Amino acid sequence: MWNAISGVLKRPLLLGLSVPVPAAVLVATLMLGISELSYRESAGQLDQLVLKGQVRVQALQMLQRISDAESGKRGYLLVGGAEYMAPYVRAHEDVLRALTEMKRLYAALHDAEGEARRLDLARLVDSRFGEMDEVLRLHAAGKSSVALDIVRSGIGRDLMDQIRVAADALVQHENARIASGLKNVYETLWMSRIGVAAMTLISLLVLTLFVRQGRELERQRVQRQAEIVEERDRLEAEVLRRTGDLTELARHLQTAREDERAHLARELHDELGALLTTAKLDAARIRPKLQQTLPDLVPCLSHLTDTLNSGIALKRRIIEDLRPSTLSTLGLIPALEILCEEVKERSGLDIQTRFEPASLSSSADLTVYRVVQEALTNIVKYAHATTVQVELCNEAEPGRVCVRVQDDGVGFDLARTRVGSHGLRGMRFRVESENGRLDIASRAGQGTELKASLPRMAQG
């Protein structure tokens, strides 16, 4: 029942969470998607900007190295030292490497216009170095005047001006592309900023709704928890009330049973006892006359007297079973001793007793007596025991008295007790009706121990 109640209470909580949680997951996914797209877009554009910047750097370095080559050429023409040729050669090699690197960068940029400008610049550079190589060759061949004429003609200056123009155009082209790329990056970052701000606002809205929903769910949970506690307390109170009613009913039934037994014992003692006693007295009065007139009937009269004595003894035993007179006249311990001695004589069991004085109420005395009586009856019928121990002692726990009956019989499995057997159940109800507790320990082949603990009567 409690599982069903818990399921009913949890269902509204789950339904309440079914809206904010998917919304939060959706918002988080959108924010992650926007962030990832913005990152990839910005990263790609920045990579393009880096490549474009490298193209511009290569173009500027190429112009610088061409100027270095021109300086090396002039030094060689004026001085004629071989040391001036080394800078020229290095500058030439650097220019070729710069053109090659620019080609690679434009291939990565997929810039057809830039590649066309690079090709035009490479053609002009090749012509410029062809002119300088020719001047150096003529000077080295001893034709310095012809070499100087080529220099004075201005061909090299014109080529250099064209190279500068082409290089400037290429640099301006890259500057424009870099500016456009930076603009795209800023636009992407701005859009990302707007998207993140929008998603943040949505997240705050979802969070607010979630918090409000959570507070409402918490309020409902507390309310339902209070209802559960109230219902549980009500059920516990009802169980306690019903348990008290059942205990009181069991006590009433036991009392009624004992009262009925006492009434039946009094009826047997008064009515049947009087009849049997009268019959025995009549037989005693008849005996002298029969001995004088009909001596042959004297044995029959003796048999009748013996039968009446047996009936009187049976009546006395039945009365004692119904309501032990020794319990009310002699007390609990003598009554238990007489009970154990009678069972010992009838059954042949070795019954060992140990009784300590105990202060119990009259109803508790009767309960202890009945528990021992029922236990001994069960042992005689079912246990096949040889030795029985019966003890009445004060427990270590203050204010309680313990009665224990233990045998060495065949024992039994408590889990497989027959449904129709009410002896043990009746003992348990009787003990619990006196605010006591009954414990039974038994295993097949290892005997049985019955232990009842009852509260001691308060001393007034």
Side-chain angles (χ1 to χ4, degrees):
M1 184 180 72
W2 288 109
N3 292 333
I5 293 175
S6 300
V8 172
L9 293 179
K10 289 179 180 177
R11 194 173 299 115
L13 299 179
L14 296 177
L15 292 175
L17 293 175
S18 61
V19 176
V21 172
V25 172
L26 178 60
V27 170
T29 303
L30 291 175
M31 291 183 65
L32 182 61
I34 291 174
S35 177
E36 183 65 20
L37 291 175
S38 300
Y39 168 76
R40 292 187 179 183
E41 181 70 20
S42 300
Q45 292 177 358
L46 289 175
D47 291 339
Q48 295 285 322
L49 291 175
V50 170
L51 295 177
K52 294 170 184 177
Q54 290 178 357
V55 169
R56 188 172 61 177
V57 170
Q58 292 295 331
L60 295 175
Q61 288 180 352
M62 184 188 65
L63 286 176
Q64 181 61 41
R65 299 306 289 164
I66 292 175
S67 299
D68 294 341
E70 179 68 23
S71 299
K73 182 198 73 170
R74 291 179 180 178
Y76 179 74
L77 292 177
L78 293 174
V79 180
E83 65 273 10
Y84 287 98
M85 285 299 296
Y88 174 81
V89 173
R90 286 196 300 271
H92 193 185
E93 293 174 351
D94 291 342
V95 170
L96 293 178
R97 278 196 295 271
L99 290 172
T100 303
E101 180 65 15
M102 291 170 65
K103 181 179 179 180
R104 184 190 67 80
L105 292 173
Y106 277 124
L109 289 170
H110 304 288
D111 186 2
E113 182 180 354
E115 178 61 17
R117 292 179 182 277
R118 187 199 67 82
L119 291 174
D120 185 54
L121 181 60
R123 179 182 58 78
L124 293 173
V125 170
D126 185 64
S127 299
R128 175 60 176 150
F129 274 100
E131 182 267 335
M132 287 190 291
D133 288 341
E134 180 63 21
V135 170
L136 293 175
R137 185 185 65 78
L138 292 174
H139 180 75
K143 300 178 181 180
S144 300
S145 59
V146 178
L148 290 175
D149 290 338
I150 295 174
V151 173
R152 293 190 188 99
S153 65
I155 296 175
R157 185 177 62 253
D158 294 339
L159 288 173
M160 193 63 193
D161 292 339
Q162 294 178 19
I163 289 174
R164 288 191 181 94
V165 172
D168 289 341
L170 189 144
V171 170
Q172 292 300 323
H173 172 72
E174 295 305 325
N175 286 339
R177 285 172 56 82
I178 289 173
S180 176
L182 288 174
K183 181 180 179 182
N184 291 334
V185 169
Y186 281 120
E187 289 178 353
T188 301
L189 293 175
W190 179 251
M191 293 301 297
S192 175
R193 183 180 181 184
I194 294 176
V196 170
M199 290 300 103
T200 302
L201 291 176
I202 296 175
S203 300
L204 291 175
L205 178 60
V206 172
L207 179 60
T208 302
L209 294 176
F210 185 79
V211 170
R212 292 181 60 184
Q213 187 73 20
R215 290 178 178 175
E216 178 63 21
L217 293 176
E218 179 64 18
R219 187 189 65 80
Q220 294 178 6
R221 187 191 66 80
V222 172
Q223 180 180 356
R224 284 169 173 77
Q225 187 67 26
E227 293 174 357
I228 291 176
V229 172
E230 183 180 355
E231 180 67 15
R232 183 195 63 192
D233 294 340
R234 189 188 67 79
L235 291 176
E236 289 179 352
E238 182 68 16
V239 169
L240 291 176
R241 188 183 68 80
R242 294 291 181 87
T243 302
D245 291 344
L246 291 176
T247 303
E248 185 64 27
L249 178 60
R251 186 180 293 111
H252 171 71
L253 292 176
Q254 294 295 339
T255 303
R257 182 182 179 186
E258 292 298 334
D259 291 343
E260 184 65 25
R261 283 185 171 187
H263 175 72
L264 182 59
R266 285 194 301 271
E267 291 292 327
L268 289 175
H269 181 271
D270 295 340
E271 302 295 334
L272 182 60
L275 292 175
L276 291 176
T277 302
T278 301
K280 185 177 179 180
L281 292 174
D282 290 341
R285 285 195 296 268
I286 294 172
R287 177 181 293 275
K289 295 181 180 181
L290 286 179
Q291 289 177 345
Q292 296 176 0
T293 59
L294 297 172
D296 296 338
L297 295 178
V298 171
C300 294
L301 184 60
S302 298
H303 179 70
L304 176 60
T305 302
D306 293 338
T307 302
L308 290 174
N309 290 332
S310 298
I312 293 172
L314 176 61
K315 181 264 301 181
R316 184 181 298 110
R317 187 165 62 251
I318 292 174
I319 291 174
E320 286 297 318
D321 288 340
L322 291 174
R323 182 68 178 180
S325 60
T326 55
L327 183 63
S328 57
T329 57
L330 301 178
L332 177 61
I333 293 179
L336 291 176
E337 290 176 345
I338 294 173
L339 174 64
C340 293
E341 189 64 29
E342 290 179 350
V343 174
K344 181 177 180 180
E345 291 177 358
R346 292 199 309 266
S347 63
L349 289 172
D350 180 14
I351 301 179
Q352 303 171 3
T353 60
R354 184 173 72 88
F355 300 131
E356 295 179 359
S359 178
L360 295 171
S361 63
S362 58
S363 60
D365 284 342
L366 182 58
T367 296
V368 171
Y369 184 88
R370 292 302 188 193
V371 166
V372 175
Q373 185 182 43
E374 182 70 20
L376 292 177
T377 301
N378 289 338
I379 291 172
V380 172
K381 288 183 178 180
Y382 309 113
H384 304 291
T386 58
T387 302
V388 180
Q389 294 180 355
V390 181
E391 295 181 0
L392 177 67
C393 58
N394 294 298
E395 285 189 335
E397 182 180 354
R400 300 194 74 83
V401 176
C402 171
V403 58
R404 187 175 70 91
V405 180
Q406 184 177 10
D407 66 75
D408 60 353
V410 296
F412 62 96
D413 187 357
L414 292 173
R416 301 178 62 181
T417 304
R418 292 185 297 110
V419 177
S421 61
H422 301 290
L424 296 178
R425 188 175 292 107
M427 279 192 287
R428 188 178 302 279
F429 287 155
R430 183 185 287 271
V431 171
E432 290 178 353
S433 67
E434 294 294 332
N435 297 321
R437 59 178 180 271
L438 180 68
D439 298 318
I440 302 174
S442 180
R443 294 181 63 182
Q446 298 185 11
T448 302
E449 181 186 37
L450 183 147
K451 182 179 179 182
S453 175
L454 295 103
R456 186 184 295 119
M457 183 176 64
Q459 298 296 328

